Amino acid sequence: MNIAVLLKQVPDTTAKITISDGKVDENSVSKWSMSPYDEYALESGLQLKEATGGNLIAITCGPERAKKMLTDAAAVGADTLVHISDDGVSDSTHVQKLLTAAVKKFDSHVVLCGKQAADTNGGSTGPGVAELLDAACVTLVSEVNFSEGNFTTIRPSNSGTEKVIVNGLSVFAFDKGSSELRRPNVRGIMMAKKKPVESITSGDLGVNLDPSNVKMNSQNPPPEKPAGQKFEGAEYVNEVVSKLRNEANVI
Amino acid sequence: MAYEALDFYDVDSLLTEEERMVRDMVRDWVDEEVIPNIEIACRDGVFPDEWRVALGEMGVLGAPLKGYDCPGLSYTAYGVICRELERGDSGLRSFASVQGSLAMYPIWDFGSEEQKNYYLPKMASGEWIGCFGLTEPDYGSNPGDMITKAEDMGDHYLLNGAKMWITNGSIAELAVVWAKLDGVIRGFIVEKNDPGFSAPEMKGKHSLKASVTSELVFQDCKIPKDRMLPGVKGLRGPFSCLNNARYGISWGALGSAQACFDSAKDYAMSRIQFNHPIASYQLVQNKLSWMLREITKGQLLAYHLGQKKDAGNWIPEHISLAKMNNVDIALEIARVARDIHGANGILDEYPIMRHMANLESVKTYEGTHDIHNLIIGRHITGIQAFTREA
């Protein structure tokens, strides 16, 4: 089975984000990491590969720096590393088209990805790729297993969890998965170093990136937290309780 | 908040991508598994067995050794591993140093093909722990006068004597023991169930509490003939091992120093006295600035020595300088960090006093600070000052 895992490199969740001229300043990001939900997808992909055999294809669309994340994926067991240049990419529909073309190019039987990227939180990649592939799509999954030609997935439902079974070409978008991404080891790291990253462009994939209908006006930092308030003495008890109840909503 | 290492001169940018990946692997593990559990391990005085398993799974034991299922990394990578482990705790780094440099290395360098094939894969995977017996109760800095001896009994060797301050002793499957055979120092592999061998644990340490320290006792200990290391005679054997372990310590101590610096900086920024954070006072800034200065110098020293180890153009005196300097500054940084933390500095809520107590051992073991000075003194003058004799 060819298992495609779609990955995105995002600022590490601990990295400080600065905005300059209405845009996130990427140069000021101290650490880039694999988006956390994608990590769950990758781990599930590795488990699927171990259970069924096959080839795990790690695909990303992004700038040069994203290749490092593919090498990290190889260190834990990704077999084929595909980097699609993001030249000319200006919105998520472009990304979906490119990823879809790569998924096809590598004859993938199943596609795993995170439910949303930790930076843009768009959440459109999984459903978007599924639509273009004309594939089944199950979102917010925590687990994907394969047996007798079917994929069995677990996802939340109104009353707890539900089991969804699909077959054929399918896309699974991961919420927090049931197992964390495994730690690499020295052997994996040394093998990853030898694994080439296949670099392709929209031209190589035969994808025409139409002019985008989406315009990003500006990005803004979240509003600063209001300053803390200090109360001293028993006479403030009623006021504090009321604030905790009505403003902070914690009691 | 993920750990951001102090790296003022971007020394880590000189590492290869592989070395950085190994660093991140070990660093993440230390953050997730070691730092949350280290204080309990210290209070209980145990080395958690999960750490042995994890080190084996990560594949970092015997880092620079090649073949026999060993990792085959660079010496620079080995140094980086030591630094990341020791940011967690010196006892953890000691475990890895002893396993890799003191137990696996002599088998790898001086062992027979059969010994290498038999022991090294299981030691690299962490399944078997090794220890190293050189120091004796009365012979520390002067191991050449050791008393432990081996006798050739025809179909076996008989060992008699005692070793002391042996890291991993009581949890080890095997010990690489140095003993005199007809007056010549030779290496022997002693297995834990060999008759006449025991390894009682030494209790009551105020330092390296999460590391097992033992005596090794040999009372007519009988071992098969094929357990002697054929490839080396004399003090060159143990000293080759110590060179590698000391090299690792020169990196490791920086890990402790960085942990102390981080803790001191964070504390100074948040501790308010006289209405201002104490970090705003010049005396405290002077201390933090001195810490950063010494850590940065130590990082350059360790990295350059790593490059020399990898290129093979090093001499033992280079290692003496780095071990001596980096442990010395790490210990002083830990003490100054303790001072910045005020009374809070004595609590195990902060890592500094643990590092400080650990580093007292690190300053003494693997060649004391003073002995390394004498090694460098001999290098400068050509006159050895270890003994009164010429």
Side-chain angles (χ1 to χ4, degrees):
Chain A
M1 188 185 306
N2 288 335
I3 304 157
V5 182
L6 311 180
L7 303 171
K8 184 176 183 187
Q9 193 189 40
V10 298
D12 192 84
T13 46
T14 61
K16 217 182 246 169
I17 308 290
T18 53
I19 309 270
S20 64
D21 296 333
K23 226 176 160 305
V24 170
D25 178 10
E26 295 208 344
N27 293 324
S28 73
V29 173
S30 57
K31 190 178 174 195
W32 294 87
S33 302
M34 189 182 296
S35 184
Y37 295 117
D38 297 355
E39 288 190 354
Y40 291 111
L42 178 58
E43 177 57 35
S44 183
L46 292 167
Q47 291 178 13
L48 211 52
K49 177 186 133 180
E50 282 159 359
T52 64
N55 188 31
L56 192 145
I57 308 142
I59 306 173
T60 191
C61 174
E64 276 296 302
R65 59 167 159 72
K67 288 181 176 174
K68 159 78 171 71
M69 175 191 62
L70 293 177
T71 308
D72 289 341
V76 288
D79 302 292
T80 306
L81 312 178
V82 183
H83 171 251
I84 310 168
S85 160
D86 65 351
D87 268 356
V89 169
S90 46
D91 70 46
S92 52
T93 64
H94 288 166
V95 176
Q96 290 156 23
K97 279 184 186 169
L98 292 168
L99 292 173
T100 302
V103 165
K104 285 183 180 163
K105 179 179 156 76
F106 289 90
D107 293 326
S108 313
H109 303 110
V110 57
V111 181
L112 310 177
C113 61
K115 65 168 181 173
Q116 66 196 62
D119 53 355
T120 54
N121 291 308
S124 63
T125 298
V129 168
E131 175 67 20
L132 295 173
L133 284 171
D134 199 18
C137 183
V138 186
T139 57
L140 307 181
V141 302
S142 56
E143 220 178 298
V144 174
N145 293 298
F146 183 76
S147 74
E148 295 168 9
N150 294 318
F151 293 104
T152 305
T153 70
I154 306 288
R155 70 186 306 283
S157 74
N158 285 343
S159 55
T161 59
E162 62 189 12
K163 194 187 272 185
V164 179
I165 299 177
V166 292
N167 56 34
L169 181 58
S170 310
V171 177
F172 301 108
F174 270 78
D175 201 338
K176 193 173 175 355
S178 49
S179 31
E180 300 281 331
L181 179 60
R182 63 196 61 189
R183 205 182 300 286
N185 59 33
V186 166
R187 199 160 293 164
I189 288 171
M190 290 174 104
M191 272 163 50
K193 188 182 63 172
K194 296 184 195 120
K195 220 165 262 181
V197 175
E198 210 165 312
S199 288
I200 49 180
T201 62
S202 55
D204 297 333
L205 290 167
V207 172
N208 188 20
L209 298 175
D210 315 319
S212 177
N213 295 324
V214 180
K215 188 165 163 263
M216 206 266 294
N217 285 326
S218 72
Q219 292 171 319
N220 300 297
E224 284 203 20
K225 272 192 203 161
Q229 299 173 46
K230 201 168 173 182
F231 304 92
E232 276 179 48
E235 66 270 29
Y236 289 105
V237 167
N238 285 339
E239 193 181 339
V240 169
V241 168
S242 141
K243 278 174 181 291
L244 289 173
R245 182 164 291 147
N246 302 320
E247 291 177 26
N249 295 322
V250 292
I251 55 172
Chain B
M1 186 71 191
Y3 167 64
E4 262 188 62
L6 171 67
D7 186 7
F8 192 56
Y9 272 18
D10 291 330
V11 182
D12 272 13
S13 68
L14 301 170
L15 301 174
T16 64
E17 187 179 351
E18 178 180 289
E19 287 159 356
R20 277 198 293 272
M21 286 173 81
V22 170
R23 174 197 68 188
D24 292 345
M25 170 186 74
V26 179
R27 182 175 285 179
D28 288 348
W29 176 70
V30 167
D31 273 330
E32 287 164 24
E33 304 295 336
V34 178
I35 290 175
N37 297 311
I38 180 64
E39 296 299 349
I40 294 166
C42 282
R43 282 186 201 173
D44 294 349
V46 295
F47 179 81
D49 196 50
E50 309 86 83
W51 295 357
R52 167 186 69 81
V53 174
L55 291 168
E57 281 174 356
M58 284 190 284
V60 296
L61 296 171
L65 307 181
K66 294 186 172 55
Y68 309 98
D69 293 350
C70 296
L73 291 166
S74 63
Y75 270 96
T76 303
Y78 172 52
V80 169
I81 291 166
C82 288
R83 182 186 70 189
E84 298 305 322
L85 293 178
E86 196 148 358
R87 180 172 67 91
D89 190 70
S90 302
L92 171 62
R93 199 267 309 135
S94 298
F95 175 91
S97 290
V98 168
Q99 177 78 349
S101 289
L102 299 185
M104 292 172 72
Y105 175 80
I107 296 172
W108 181 84
D109 202 5
F110 310 124
S112 67
E113 212 45 40
E114 292 75 23
Q115 289 167 342
K116 293 180 203 189
N117 282 315
Y118 183 66
Y119 292 107
L120 290 176
K122 286 202 163 63
M123 296 177 81
S125 71
E127 189 181 337
W128 284 353
I129 301 174
C131 67
F132 173 89
L134 176 67
T135 297
E136 299 187 352
D138 294 327
Y139 296 95
S141 295
N142 173 25
D145 284 347
M146 66 172 65
I147 296 170
T148 303
K149 64 170 186 172
E151 282 172 274
D152 188 341
M153 307 303 284
D155 63 343
H156 65 272
Y157 293 111
L158 210 55
L159 290 184
N160 275 291
K163 300 290 181 181
M164 206 171 182
W165 306 113
I166 311 304
T167 299
N168 297 351
S170 309
I171 55 173
E173 289 290 324
L174 63 129
V176 173
V177 177
W178 303 92
K180 280 182 177 165
L181 177 68
D182 300 325
V184 180
I185 294 174
R186 301 296 303 250
F188 297 88
I189 302 170
V190 178
E191 294 187 4
K192 104 180 150 181
N193 293 325
D194 285 336
F197 171 53
S198 59
E201 189 171 349
M202 298 169 67
K203 293 286 191 184
K205 286 177 296 172
H206 280 303
S207 175
L208 298 178
K209 292 170 84 157
S211 166
V212 173
T213 309
S214 314
E215 292 176 62
L216 305 182
V217 182
F218 309 96
Q219 285 177 313
D220 286 334
C221 171
K222 193 175 160 182
I223 61 168
K225 287 295 271 266
D226 60 6
R227 298 270 200 78
M228 186 164 74
L229 299 175
V232 74
K233 287 180 185 172
L235 276 176
R236 187 176 76 82
F239 282 176
S240 309
C241 307
L242 293 172
N243 279 331
N244 283 332
R246 290 166 179 175
Y247 161 73
I249 292 170
S250 72
W251 282 83
L254 295 171
S256 288
Q258 285 171 278
C260 292
F261 171 83
D262 287 342
S263 187
K265 183 191 76 177
D266 291 347
Y267 187 83
M269 297 290 282
S270 60
R271 172 71 175 172
I272 311 287
Q273 287 295 285
F274 306 106
N275 297 322
H276 297 286
I278 61 170
S280 67
Y281 297 113
Q282 293 178 5
L283 286 171
V284 174
Q285 288 195 4
N286 183 46
K287 291 178 177 121
L288 293 171
S289 161
W290 174 80
M291 290 179 180
L292 178 139
R293 184 176 103 197
E294 291 304 328
I295 289 171
T296 302
K297 287 192 282 186
Q299 286 169 334
L300 291 166
L301 204 60
Y303 175 77
H304 190 68
L305 181 61
Q307 295 299 294
K308 290 184 84 63
K309 281 286 285 175
D310 282 322
N313 60 0
W314 58 278
I315 54 174
E317 287 81 355
H318 292 152
I319 294 176
S320 287
L321 180 76
K323 190 271 181 185
M324 176 174 80
N325 181 77
N326 287 3
V327 177
D328 195 33
I329 61 121
L331 177 56
E332 205 48 42
I333 285 167
R335 289 171 177 161
V336 173
R338 216 293 304 146
D339 183 46
I340 290 174
H341 283 73
N344 282 307
I346 69 165
L347 296 174
D348 67 7
E349 191 180 329
Y350 299 93
I352 41 175
M353 195 140 169
R354 175 169 51 79
H355 281 298
M356 185 181 92
N358 284 341
L359 287 162
E360 292 286 354
S361 295
V362 181
K363 188 178 182 183
T364 293
Y365 72 20
E366 301 279 347
T368 67
H369 185 82
D370 285 350
I371 286 288
H372 286 299
N373 262 320
L374 296 187
I375 290 170
I376 291 166
R378 180 181 61 187
H379 179 74
I380 297 168
T381 64
I383 306 165
Q384 69 84 13
F386 300 106
T387 68
R388 302 289 171 90
E389 293 78 41

